[in-house]
Amino acid sequence: MNDQTPVLEKFAHPDLTAKGEKRASVALTGAKTLWFNTGTLCNITCVNCYIESSPENDRLAYITAAEMEPYLDEISALGWPVEEIAFTGGEPFMNPEIITMIEAGLARGYEVLVLTNAMKPMMRQRVQAGLLRLRAAYGAKLTLRISLDHFNPAHHDEERGAGAYDITIKGMEWLRDNGFKMALAGRTVWGDSEAESRAGYAALYAKHGFKIDAQNPAITVLFPEMDERVDVPEITTACWGILNKRPDDVMCASSRMVVKRKGAARPVVLACTLLAYDEAFEMGQTLRQAEADVKLNHRHCAKFCVLGGASCSV
């Protein structure tokens, strides 16, 4: 008798692994964060940017406040338990409507998180004035999470270009001096242990008087590296018990992301902030369509979210 089992590559079949086992999936059990990608344009080009942001990459277009508002309406209509509206990019402060969009989230009572490199786009006079107005009106409901890849300036500049560290520190000092709530995102590419990384950031915070908790993994977030060339295991339904994890622990159990592709008439909703270009993770144009389960059919699902344990939200 011929063996009829299909021969599969890893991450090739939505329901089966290469070994023919049932692929794990994640249900949207509590939508706590709705992300908006403000566009992939960025003021700098980083060596290992997961979304390949740069001054030239406009594959994801600037989303507008008018395009954002219907999703905020839909949150209420669907009864999603959203607590946080979050913005990522690219560099969000390059989007001309970012202050208006931040305020749209704050005005509805949500916590708002903005991921930024705290460099020149954030330090423009118009943006500073807008941020100061929002801080005065909404206080600690606004958090800016700063990308500082390492507490060592040489390592950070290795990723982001000569002098980038000093510019970001100046931006953080402006945020400090004006009473903004800050968090930080670092990276683990240089092989420091978690304890070493947190001690290094703690010393940096103490030196500059930054009120950031170095020991809280939701405030000082240490991201594992994402490399699609690295061989990683696929996540099967049996893995939850083996790894002592639950599907609810994975980011797509509690978040979705809205993006607008270049040339598209309307934004779409994605399962994940990390897979902006993979159409297999596009869930439709509405939040209702995006309530479907997410199949963990990508290397990042395994390496970054399940095995790495990372999350993009505060």
Coordinates of all heavy atoms in Angstrom, one line a residue, residues 11 23 228 232 274-275 278 281 295-303:
F11 N 6.0 24.9 8.1 CA 5.2 26.1 8.0 C 4.6 26.3 6.6 O 4.4 27.4 6.1 CB 6.0 27.4 8.4 CG 6.7 27.3 9.7 CD1 8.0 27.0 9.8 CD2 5.9 27.5 10.9 CE1 8.6 26.9 11.1 CE2 6.5 27.4 12.1 CZ 7.9 27.1 12.2
R23 N -1.4 21.4 13.8 CA -0.8 22.6 14.2 C -1.6 23.3 15.3 O -2.8 23.3 15.3 CB -0.7 23.5 12.9 CG 0.0 24.9 13.2 CD 0.2 25.7 11.9 NE 0.8 25.0 10.8 CZ 2.1 24.7 10.7 NH1 2.9 25.1 11.7 NH2 2.6 24.1 9.7
E228 N 14.4 34.7 10.1 CA 13.7 33.7 9.3 C 14.5 32.6 8.8 O 14.0 31.6 8.3 CB 12.8 34.4 8.2 CG 11.8 35.3 8.8 CD 10.8 35.7 7.7 OE1 10.6 35.0 6.7 OE2 10.1 36.8 7.9
V232 N 13.5 26.6 13.4 CA 12.8 26.5 14.6 C 11.8 25.4 14.6 O 11.3 25.1 13.5 CB 12.2 27.9 15.0 CG1 13.2 28.9 15.2 CG2 11.2 28.3 13.9
L274 N 3.9 41.4 14.1 CA 5.2 41.0 13.6 C 5.1 40.5 12.2 O 6.2 40.3 11.5 CB 5.8 39.8 14.5 CG 5.8 40.1 16.0 CD1 6.4 38.9 16.7 CD2 6.7 41.3 16.2
L275 N 3.9 40.3 11.6 CA 3.8 39.7 10.3 C 3.0 40.6 9.4 O 2.0 40.2 8.8 CB 3.1 38.3 10.5 CG 3.8 37.3 11.4 CD1 3.0 36.1 11.7 CD2 5.2 36.9 10.8
D278 N 2.8 39.3 5.5 CA 2.3 37.9 5.2 C 0.8 37.9 5.1 O 0.1 38.0 6.1 CB 2.8 37.0 6.3 CG 2.6 35.5 5.9 OD1 1.7 35.2 5.1 OD2 3.4 34.7 6.4
F281 N -1.8 36.0 7.2 CA -2.2 36.5 8.5 C -3.1 37.7 8.5 O -3.4 38.4 9.4 CB -1.0 36.8 9.4 CG -0.3 35.5 9.8 CD1 0.7 34.9 9.0 CD2 -0.6 34.9 11.0 CE1 1.3 33.7 9.4 CE2 0.1 33.7 11.4 CZ 1.0 33.1 10.6
K295 N -3.8 30.5 13.3 CA -3.0 29.3 13.2 C -1.5 29.7 13.3 O -1.1 30.6 12.5 CB -3.3 28.6 11.9 CG -4.8 28.1 11.9 CD -5.2 27.6 10.5 CE -6.6 27.2 10.5 NZ -7.1 26.7 9.2
L296 N -0.8 29.0 14.1 CA 0.6 29.4 14.4 C 1.5 28.9 13.3 O 2.4 28.0 13.5 CB 1.1 28.9 15.8 CG 0.2 29.5 16.9 CD1 0.8 29.0 18.3 CD2 0.1 31.0 16.9
N297 N 1.4 29.4 12.1 CA 2.0 28.9 10.9 C 3.1 29.8 10.4 O 3.2 30.1 9.2 CB 0.9 28.7 9.8 CG 1.5 27.9 8.6 OD1 2.4 27.1 8.8 ND2 0.9 28.0 7.5
H298 N 4.0 30.2 11.3 CA 5.1 31.1 10.9 C 6.2 30.9 11.9 O 6.0 30.6 13.1 CB 4.7 32.5 10.9 CG 5.7 33.4 10.1 ND1 6.8 33.8 10.7 CD2 5.6 33.9 8.8 CE1 7.5 34.6 9.8 NE2 6.8 34.6 8.7
R299 N 7.5 31.0 11.4 CA 8.6 30.9 12.3 C 8.6 31.8 13.5 O 9.0 31.5 14.6 CB 9.9 31.1 11.5 CG 10.3 29.9 10.6 CD 11.5 30.2 9.7 NE 11.9 29.0 9.0 CZ 11.3 28.6 7.9 NH1 10.2 29.2 7.4 NH2 11.7 27.5 7.3
H300 N 8.1 33.1 13.2 CA 8.0 34.0 14.3 C 7.0 33.6 15.4 O 7.2 33.9 16.6 CB 7.6 35.4 13.8 CG 8.6 36.1 12.9 ND1 9.9 35.6 12.8 CD2 8.5 37.2 12.1 CE1 10.6 36.4 12.0 NE2 9.7 37.3 11.5
C301 N 6.0 32.9 15.0 CA 5.0 32.4 16.0 C 5.8 31.5 17.0 O 5.5 31.5 18.2 CB 3.9 31.6 15.4 SG 2.9 32.5 14.1
A302 N 6.6 30.6 16.5 CA 7.4 29.7 17.3 C 8.5 30.4 18.1 O 8.5 30.4 19.3 CB 7.9 28.6 16.5
K303 N 9.4 31.0 17.4 CA 10.6 31.5 18.0 C 10.3 32.7 18.9 O 10.9 32.8 20.0 CB 11.6 32.0 16.8 CG 12.9 32.6 17.3 CD 13.9 31.6 17.9 CE 15.2 32.2 18.4 NZ 15.7 33.4 17.8

